[in-house]
Amino acid sequence: MKTLIHIIPTLENGGAENVLVRLVNEFSELGIHQIVITIQGSKHDFNYDRIVSSCEVIHFKTEPKRVKAIFNQFPNASAVAWMYKAIYFTHKWKRLFNTNQQIFWNIRHSNFGPNQWYQKSMLHLFGLGTHIFKPKIIYCSYKSKEVHEKAFFAKERSKVIVNRLAKNIHLEESAQGSKKEEYFLFVGRFNSQKGPQHLRNILRAFYQRHKTPEIWIAGNGWDINYFPSSLRSHVKLLGNRKDIYALYQNAKALLFTSTFGEGYPNVLVEAAVMGLPIIAFDAGDAKKILANYSLGYNVENEVIFYEKLVWLVNNSPSKNQRHSAAIQQREALDFSLTLNEYKAFIDL
């Protein structure tokens, strides 16, 4: 039986982690032997409980000897390194333990912000590494492939495998209070990559003229004091939520304010399969995802974003329109397509 080793920084609640969980669970049902190694994760990570029943999970931070044992026990396994840190550690371990794993680079990022010069320079070093180590490369988006090949990543042995719908839909979930209140929804941790300054500017303009709906923010790291006092009564911070589909189902619109750094924004797919109107800047593959979605609106700047938000308040789609849009997206974004592409590329 072929063994597949996944290496990832943590199992927290992020796009890459959610795709990994779904892949592991689906591959497990197919009888594929898998092991997940986190670099700095723990049993308290958001996604740990969703994955541990399907395979062994090892945390290098607390079990470094077990990692060495796994590399020595399965010297010819395929190793999928999720994101840059995992790529570095996987090659380091392979050399340190003198093993022969075939390493797949799983790139989950696209472009960097204007001031991220260190990250941009490191990207070119990784690009050089693709010509030295000759890995097979998985890109999560077409934007990611475009950006990395401009940084001299090898074009051979690479493939774009988009995430599609990674999270299972649990329609029986009901977000407390969400059916009784009208709200816009933002899903994402507090991070410059997620465009919090854009969100704040757009909300400031909106609430100068409107009192409702509220904006609900699902994701960790947010502080209500980030918003000016005039906005705080309109903002509801939810933290990480497991009832995310109920939030999508009952919201008026999803606001997506990232302008860089995204690969394949999972939140757009999750919202689309629930028939939720989406207003989004063009980050990662956002434009491609929304191109065939009747309730998706790609905008270029904060002014147009605000105008579309006001328009949606007065032109909300009907339940039938949302249902029809959702059904179409669920067929187009079926995760089985992604699963088969991974299986073929890794040769499982």
Side-chain angles (χ1 to χ4, degrees), residues 103-171:
I103 299 176
F104 294 78
W105 290 21
N106 201 326
I107 305 295
R108 317 301 300 178
H109 206 282
S110 59
N111 57 330
F112 290 99
N115 297 319
Q116 293 181 299
W117 298 108
Y118 171 77
Q119 290 88 337
K120 291 176 182 178
S121 63
M122 291 301 296
L123 189 64
H124 284 79
L125 286 178
F126 275 95
L128 177 62
T130 64
H131 298 279
I132 297 172
F133 299 112
K134 301 186 184 303
K136 295 185 76 173
I137 306 171
I138 298 168
Y139 293 106
C140 69
S141 70
Y142 291 93
K143 179 68 172 182
S144 181
K145 178 178 172 66
E146 175 190 334
V147 168
H148 284 76
E149 289 184 351
K150 286 182 179 178
F152 309 117
F153 273 58
K155 296 182 180 180
E156 303 81 13
R157 302 177 302 278
S158 68
K159 182 175 178 60
V160 176
I161 306 179
V162 297
N163 301 343
R164 298 183 178 88
L165 180 61
K167 284 185 180 179
N168 288 310
I169 299 175
H170 297 290
L171 294 179

Side-chain angles (χ1 to χ4, degrees), residues 179 182 249-251 274-277 293 295 315-327 330:
K179 291 185 177 181
E182 289 194 337
Q249 187 174 31
N250 299 316
M274 298 306 295
L276 178 61
Y293 181 48
L295 302 181
N315 297 275
S316 295
S318 67
K319 288 184 179 180
N320 286 339
Q321 287 175 311
R322 287 185 58 160
H323 178 73
S324 177
I327 294 302
R330 290 178 198 182

Side-chain angles (χ1 to χ4, degrees), residues 27-307:
F27 280 154
S28 177
E29 291 185 7
L30 296 175
I32 297 171
H33 180 231
Q34 300 169 94
I35 300 163
V36 171
I37 299 173
T38 76
I39 298 167
Q40 57 199 62
S42 75
K43 293 181 178 180
H44 302 294
D45 287 351
F46 183 87
N47 276 309
Y48 175 80
D49 290 338
R50 295 177 58 209
I51 205 171
V52 71
S53 61
S54 295
C55 70
E56 181 180 6
V57 180
I58 302 165
H59 305 298
F60 174 69
K61 185 171 63 175
T62 55
E63 304 174 87
K65 292 182 179 179
R66 182 62 183 146
V67 172
K68 180 179 180 180
I70 289 296
F71 266 68
N72 287 325
Q73 185 178 353
F74 303 102
N76 298 308
S78 294
V80 181
W82 295 70
M83 298 178 284
Y84 307 127
K85 181 176 287 189
I87 290 170
Y88 168 77
F89 272 86
T90 304
H91 280 281
K92 177 181 177 180
W93 291 334
K94 178 181 177 180
R95 181 172 182 177
L96 184 63
F97 306 144
N98 193 29
T99 53
N100 301 308
Q101 286 83 12
Q102 181 180 15
I103 299 176
F104 294 78
W105 290 21
N106 201 326
I107 305 295
R108 317 301 300 178
H109 206 282
S110 59
N111 57 330
F112 290 99
N115 297 319
Q116 293 181 299
W117 298 108
Y118 171 77
Q119 290 88 337
K120 291 176 182 178
S121 63
M122 291 301 296
L123 189 64
H124 284 79
L125 286 178
F126 275 95
L128 177 62
T130 64
H131 298 279
I132 297 172
F133 299 112
K134 301 186 184 303
K136 295 185 76 173
I137 306 171
I138 298 168
Y139 293 106
C140 69
S141 70
Y142 291 93
K143 179 68 172 182
S144 181
K145 178 178 172 66
E146 175 190 334
V147 168
H148 284 76
E149 289 184 351
K150 286 182 179 178
F152 309 117
F153 273 58
K155 296 182 180 180
E156 303 81 13
R157 302 177 302 278
S158 68
K159 182 175 178 60
V160 176
I161 306 179
V162 297
N163 301 343
R164 298 183 178 88
L165 180 61
K167 284 185 180 179
N168 288 310
I169 299 175
H170 297 290
L171 294 179
E172 69 276 13
E173 295 172 343
S174 59
Q176 185 177 4
S178 66
K179 291 185 177 181
K180 299 177 183 179
E181 301 179 57
E182 289 194 337
Y183 58 94
F184 296 128
L185 182 64
F186 178 94
V187 179
R189 68 190 184 280
F190 183 82
N191 184 281
S192 60
Q193 177 183 311
K194 302 300 180 183
Q197 74 280 11
H198 297 304
L199 180 65
R200 183 174 57 186
N201 292 341
I202 293 162
L203 294 178
R204 182 186 288 115
F206 181 83
Y207 290 122
Q208 282 179 351
R209 297 172 176 83
H210 302 80
K211 294 183 179 180
T212 58
E214 290 183 333
I215 176 71
W216 291 15
I217 299 176
N220 62 18
W222 290 86
D223 185 336
I224 194 63
N225 293 317
Y226 177 74
F227 299 95
S229 56
S230 60
L231 293 184
R232 292 172 196 166
S233 63
H234 303 286
V235 178
K236 187 173 183 178
L237 302 182
L238 307 177
N240 276 330
R241 295 288 289 257
K242 294 186 177 181
D243 55 353
I244 193 66
Y245 282 114
L247 291 170
Y248 289 132
Q249 187 174 31
N250 299 316
K252 286 187 69 67
L254 178 78
L255 314 187
F256 179 80
T257 56
S258 297
T259 56
F260 69 89
E262 300 282 355
Y264 187 86
N266 289 345
V267 295
L268 300 183
V269 171
E270 294 164 7
V273 300
M274 298 306 295
L276 178 61
I278 299 169
I279 308 174
F281 288 132
D282 183 21
D285 274 6
K287 186 175 289 187
K288 289 182 179 293
I289 293 169
L290 298 182
N292 297 314
Y293 181 48
S294 60
L295 302 181
Y297 308 98
N298 192 258
V299 298
E300 298 177 356
N301 55 53
E302 292 179 0
V303 173
I304 301 175
F305 200 118
Y306 161 75
E307 291 173 349

